[in-house]
Amino acid sequence: MTVVKGEALRSRDLYERPPKYELFFPNFVMKELCVGLFFLIILFIWSYFKNAPLYELADPTKTPAHIKAAWYFVGLQELLAYFDPYLAGVIIPTFILAGLYLAPFLDPDPIKGIGRFAWKERGFAMYSFIGGFAFWWLLIIVGWYLRGPLWAFYWPWEDHHIIKPPPPPPWSFPLPAGIAYIIAFFGLGITVPGVIFPNFFYRMGVVRYVITMFLWTFMIFALAKMFLNNAFNLKYILVTPWFNI
Amino acid sequence: MGETVAKAEKVVKTTRREALRKGLFWGCWGIFIGFAGMLGISIVRYAYPRIVWEPSSTFKIGKPDDYAVGSVTVMGDRRVFLIRTEGGFYALSAICTHLGCQPIWEQDNQVFMCPCHGGKFYKDGINFAGPPPRPLPRFLMTFAPDGRMMVDKAKEVGLDFILKV
Amino acid sequence: MKWVPLGLVRYTFCLGGLSVFFFLLCILTGPFLMMYYIPSVDRAWADVQDLSNVVPFGRFLRNLHRWSGTLMVICVPVHMLRVFLQGAYKPPRQLNWLVGVTLLLLTYLMAFTGYLLPWDNEAYWAATVGMTMGENSPIVGSKGPFSILSQDKDIAYILRGGTMLGQPSLTRFFFAHCVAIPGAMAGLMGLHFFNIHKAGGMSGPL
Ligand code: HEM
Ligand code: HEM
Ligand code: FES
């Protein structure tokens, strides 16, 4: 190492750089800042040309016919159109959050695939997560682009000025059918994968397996309800005096 | 002999000191958690206002002759729909039973349609499409002594209630 | 002196760093908006109108705040996606994942409460729907299943400061948006970074 006289000695001159490594500061931080600078430029241009929307003054006496949430909540709004408010607004988000919080503890393998895209080894986990993630964005796209006035469904080529006629009255499963449907759905959803893939079951252990498959089945259950509602105009699967599903 | 006694004394002393130290440690945590809890509870209670300035739940809406038979009057500032039928009047809550938006009266289809998630109600308030879980509640209506009608939003009545005129 | 593997930018796609960056931009522009914005149901909308049309560069600052908030709401979930797909939640980083999920929730709450502040029609009805969701929660909401609290004691009452939306609600949203949630987020972000440090830096292929 040669030290040129008159130049301050910096710490990075004193140590050998390990191969394939760089300093966190300044090298790595500078790279991140460059990316930040890139987005700062974009943001300035964007903010110069595109104004944040501001709608009419709040009118508590009248809901506008074309009301739509901020785009990042349109997915939730779309979900709310299929379920009772306590389900779509509270129970489903709670389950999503619970699933996210539990993710590290539901994964039985502490090391496989850290720091890389291990499509082969962690396929199930990765595709499940991508599926849920994509579904959230799909809901946003449907809610934002395919919902017209009064939250009716419009294809992009349909005219929003034509108000859709109300659908025929909905129906619900009778109580025994509803109970049977739910028991069968969750029973099969939780047991069948373990029977088909016994290795998966043993690798997970009982507790992890049951929680994972419960969350999974819940997701499919919600999707199935949305499908039944759309296709057959089904309102409730289970009707009780205290709550409906 | 004397040595072992001294040793034993030392052991007793250290365990006593140890216990004291532990007690102090957990005692401090206990006091801290207690006070934090008290602060938390007071803040939660603090967030519940004791008095709110909100409009009264009863209000007068004029004489029966002011409203045409078959009409639906939207009283937005009271969040009430007033409906006149041949038999008389009833007042429906204008708050969607789904998530609280205000349904819009569609004269052509003779239904209420909620813009937020597509809930729909018949003229009598029964929900028949979309997510709303319950019919729109009806409010008690009476005649005031001066012959004008009154609505009381604090009192819900059955789905067959009608103020006969 | 801390060495990190070359090509780290490729592993993280800068998504966490960008989330911090957009958060800082919001933190920087937000307080300046507060200089003209008054959280009163009579004034708020007019103030935002003034901010956009009268105050020099007010519109620019507001746009910056809005669009960087928007980008943050995109960045944070995608950061989570990349963390999951690279298995970076595995030991010793589980705690950081938990902190992260909380940050995600708070980011959405920031975006929600911020959207209510201009008190325009969209804000008012978004607030109505959000608060009625609280009213419909099981047990603690007055209209939900198994409710135990009456309408003047339930969770929605505490959130909007009354049984209907009004001035107390806007004050509360303002407090949440400008003080409570950003404070919690700043603290949690500190913990987030400390956790990365403690885990010996970011995850990389073993
Ligand atoms: C995570 C960070 C933040 C996000 C995602 C965020 C998001 C938003 C959004 C979406 C709006 C609505 C803007 C609009 O109507 O155009 C808003 C408004 C506002 N925010 Fe934030 N914000 C953040 C941080 C802050 C902070 C830290 C402050 C102040 C300390 C702040 C103060 C304000 C004020 C005063 C407004 C009302 C002015 C206006 O509507 O333009 N924000 N914010
Ligand atoms: C406001 C939101 C967030 C901010 C500002 C933030 C910031 C960061 C930063 C700067 C890093 C360094 C690595 C990178 O740039 O990717 C990081 C890593 C990490 N973040 Fe976040 N994050 C946020 C939200 C989340 C969320 C929602 C999750 C997951 C649910 C999460 C989990 C993690 C984990 C596990 C790491 C370690 C990754 C590794 O070692 O490779 N964070 N975060
Ligand atoms: S609020 Fe009326 S349908 Fe959701």
Side-chain angles (χ1 to χ4, degrees), chain A residues 8-237:
Chain A
L9 203 60
R10 290 168 304 182
S11 57
R12 66 173 133 157
D13 300 326
L14 290 176
Y15 298 90
E16 205 65 37
R17 179 166 75 90
K20 293 216 195 136
Y21 276 77
E22 64 182 339
L23 272 178
F24 176 72
F25 185 84
N27 304 39
F28 175 69
V29 170
M30 282 305 157
K31 281 184 192 164
E32 292 252 324
L33 284 181
C34 284
V35 178
L37 191 63
F38 174 74
F39 276 93
L40 192 65
I41 294 169
I42 289 192
L43 263 174
F44 264 58
I45 297 172
W46 188 5
S47 299
Y48 189 79
F49 288 108
K50 183 92 180 83
N51 288 332
L54 178 65
Y55 303 91
E56 328 82 83
L57 175 63
D59 181 1
T61 67
K62 188 164 152 282
T63 312
H66 52 265
I67 191 91
K68 219 167 241 191
W71 68 263
Y72 34 82
F73 284 119
V74 163
L76 183 62
Q77 192 179 7
E78 178 66 22
L79 207 58
L80 282 164
Y82 290 93
F83 297 96
D84 269 17
Y86 81 93
L87 270 176
V90 186
I91 302 284
I92 292 179
T94 307
F95 274 44
I96 294 174
L97 269 181
L100 286 177
Y101 274 123
L102 285 176
F105 311 103
L106 293 178
D107 192 327
D109 192 306
I111 43 173
K112 209 160 58 186
I114 295 185
R116 65 202 167 87
F117 297 108
W119 296 104
K120 289 225 177 58
E121 300 95 313
R122 295 180 56 229
F124 175 69
M126 289 168 83
Y127 288 119
S128 305
F129 200 85
I130 292 178
F133 198 80
F135 185 60
W136 174 245
W137 291 91
L138 181 71
L139 282 179
I140 292 180
I141 288 170
V142 171
W144 193 253
Y145 292 107
L146 302 180
R147 291 292 184 174
L150 303 164
W151 210 249
F153 190 91
Y154 289 85
W155 289 106
W157 54 85
E158 284 180 307
D159 184 0
H160 280 203
H161 295 292
I162 299 165
I163 293 207
K164 297 250 163 161
W171 57 284
S172 302
F173 283 150
L175 186 62
I179 294 176
Y181 178 89
I182 289 183
I183 291 180
F185 206 104
F186 280 89
L188 291 178
I190 291 176
T191 51
V192 167
V195 174
I196 299 180
F197 305 104
N199 274 347
F200 176 70
F201 176 77
Y202 288 120
R203 210 153 40 78
M204 296 283 280
V206 181
V207 178
R208 281 202 193 106
Y209 172 81
V210 169
I211 298 178
T212 310
M213 287 333 290
F214 174 77
L215 290 171
W216 239 99
T217 313
F218 187 82
M219 204 157 96
I220 306 291
F221 183 81
L223 272 177
K225 162 87 199 281
M226 292 170 81
F227 171 75
L228 290 175
N229 182 298
N230 260 332
F232 303 110
N233 219 7
L234 176 86
K235 186 155 172 72
Y236 291 124
I237 286 165

Side-chain angles (χ1 to χ4, degrees), chain C residues 7 11 61 63 69 90 94 97 99 107 120 130 133 152 161-162 169 190 193 204:
Chain C
Y11 283 118
L61 269 186
N63 291 349
K90 297 192 177 199
Q94 300 108 315
W97 174 268
V99 174
T107 307
D120 55 6
M133 255 150 63
D152 57 356
S169 330
F193 306 146

Side-chain angles (χ1 to χ4, degrees), chain B residues 31-163:
Chain B
I31 293 171
F32 173 72
I33 289 169
F35 273 85
M38 285 198 293
L39 186 64
I41 289 170
S42 22
I43 286 176
V44 169
R45 180 63 190 86
Y46 170 83
Y48 276 93
R50 207 176 249 158
I51 304 166
V52 288
W53 284 268
E54 288 176 357
S56 145
S57 70
T58 54
F59 52 95
K60 289 188 182 171
I61 51 173
K63 298 227 160 75
D65 294 343
D66 301 346
Y67 302 92
V69 171
S71 69
V72 174
T73 312
V74 180
M75 302 184 162
D77 46 349
R78 298 288 187 178
R79 303 293 305 270
V80 160
F81 298 127
L82 183 74
I83 293 133
R84 165 135 208 203
T85 61
E86 268 122 63
F89 285 90
Y90 55 90
L92 291 177
S93 158
I95 298 177
C96 181
T97 51
H98 183 228
L99 283 168
C101 295
Q102 179 166 318
I104 294 171
W105 173 243
E106 288 288 336
Q107 188 69 35
D108 302 345
N109 293 313
Q110 291 283 308
V111 290
F112 295 103
M113 293 192 179
C114 183
C116 288
H117 315 92
K120 293 177 180 58
F121 305 85
Y122 292 125
K123 196 174 180 179
D124 57 4
I126 305 286
N127 53 322
F128 72 98
R134 287 179 294 273
L136 297 173
R138 284 186 195 203
F139 296 131
L140 179 70
M141 287 180 71
T142 47
F143 279 110
D146 61 359
R148 289 192 286 169
M149 297 181 291
M150 294 225 301
V151 178
D152 186 351
K153 289 209 292 176
K155 297 204 180 79
E156 286 181 17
V157 290
L159 293 179
D160 50 358
F161 175 91
I162 276 192
L163 180 73

Side-chain angles (χ1 to χ4, degrees), chain C residues 105-175:
Chain C
L105 178 67
L106 293 181
T107 307
Y108 275 112
L109 285 180
M110 276 311 269
F112 177 64
T113 50
Y115 193 70
L116 309 180
L117 294 184
W119 211 245
D120 55 6
N121 240 337
E122 306 280 314
Y124 185 87
W125 295 103
T128 302
V129 168
M131 296 301 112
T132 315
M133 255 150 63
E135 222 165 49
N136 278 286
S137 340
I139 304 171
V140 290
S142 59
K143 287 189 194 149
F146 310 115
S147 73
I148 48 171
L149 300 172
S150 65
Q151 218 199 347
D152 57 356
K153 289 194 180 59
D154 73 339
I155 180 99
Y157 184 78
I158 204 173
L159 291 177
R160 57 185 170 207
T163 59
M164 52 201 286
L165 278 181
Q167 181 57 55
S169 330
L170 182 57
T171 315
R172 276 158 203 240
F173 302 148
F174 181 70
F175 165 72

